[in-house]
Amino acid sequence: MNLYLISVFLHILSAMLWIGGMLFLILVVTPFLKQSDRMNSAQFYRNAGQRFRKIAWMGFAVFFVTGVFNLGYRGVRLTDFVRPEWFGSPYGKLVITKIALFIAILIVSAVHDFWIGPAATRAVTEGGKSDPAAAEKLRKNAALFGRINFILGLAMVALGVMIVRGVPRF
Ligand code: HEM
């Protein structure tokens, strides 16, 4: 029982850190940096992005380990994923949707953190003067992938709440 409580605690703490971190970037950092010059913004995004990336990927590992543990504690077995009466059930669909969204988050994060994000900051800090349009396009794509991840993150929280407390009836 104690291990389960610690697992749920770590799971929710990781959600607070990751979602809270993205919210801070979107609501506080980005509007502030819009007022300062591009070079400074790009350098800040590169440094802050690299630090937050480490935290986010450590969080993903915690989500996975505690998520699997929580599922096990709630009686979900690997064999359930091949049982039509389970994966067709409302609960089974919730769990499968959550795992599928988690895989999508890992892909979107990998593209953003290791490809588009670094390319965007590089384009601004190194080549921004020579090709500002390309730099701007990369920056917009990086921002778009960041926002997609934020929305997927909110969906993960909603799915977590529904796994524990049931699906809302409107
Ligand atoms: C981006 C990743 C994730 C986020 C943001 C997230 C968020 C949450 C939140 C906020 C809760 C608590 C809901 C509540 O107590 O009302 C929760 C619960 C839960 N999550 Fe996740 N989660 C993530 C990934 C995962 C993964 C990958 C799994 C499975 C492999 C998982 C399985 C669960 C389970 C089983 C619960 C119920 C915990 C309990 O027994 O109280 N989660 N999740």
Side-chain angles (χ1 to χ4, degrees):
M1 178 65 172
N2 290 347
L3 208 51
Y4 167 64
L5 294 177
I6 294 166
S7 170
V8 173
F9 171 76
L10 291 174
H11 198 81
I12 296 177
L13 191 66
S14 301
M16 290 157 63
L17 190 60
W18 184 55
I19 306 262
M22 288 191 286
L23 265 176
F24 185 74
L25 277 176
I26 295 169
L27 298 177
V28 178
V29 175
T30 303
F32 169 73
L33 286 179
K34 278 214 170 97
Q35 294 154 19
S36 70
D37 79 275
R38 283 229 165 284
M39 193 61 80
N40 278 344
S41 314
Q43 275 156 0
F44 177 90
Y45 270 120
R46 186 187 49 213
N47 300 340
Q50 283 166 358
R51 286 181 75 87
F52 189 56
R53 180 172 67 185
K54 279 197 202 101
I55 294 167
W57 284 89
M58 283 195 285
F60 295 154
V62 174
F63 281 132
F64 181 72
V65 173
T66 57
V68 168
F69 184 88
N70 297 346
L71 284 177
Y73 189 87
R74 287 180 164 274
V76 177
R77 299 290 170 265
L78 215 47
T79 47
D80 290 330
F81 291 87
V82 289
R83 278 192 316 115
E85 65 273 20
W86 184 84
F87 66 67
S89 71
Y91 188 78
K93 286 181 187 155
L94 272 180
V95 172
I96 289 170
T97 310
K98 188 160 187 177
I99 294 172
L101 269 190
F102 186 59
I103 294 167
I105 285 172
L106 294 179
I107 295 168
V108 172
S109 302
V111 171
H112 177 274
D113 295 354
F114 301 107
W115 179 28
I116 295 183
T121 49
R122 240 192 341 270
V124 176
T125 51
E126 292 159 14
K129 289 195 186 61
S130 55
D131 191 351
E136 183 58 11
K137 192 159 170 273
L138 275 169
R139 192 193 63 72
K140 281 208 170 106
N141 285 341
L144 176 67
F145 272 71
R147 291 195 187 109
I148 292 172
N149 236 4
F150 176 64
I151 296 181
L152 292 178
L154 293 183
M156 289 299 272
V157 173
L159 285 164
V161 170
M162 287 192 265
I163 285 174
V164 176
R165 300 155 213 276
V167 178
R169 303 235 176 286
F170 295 102

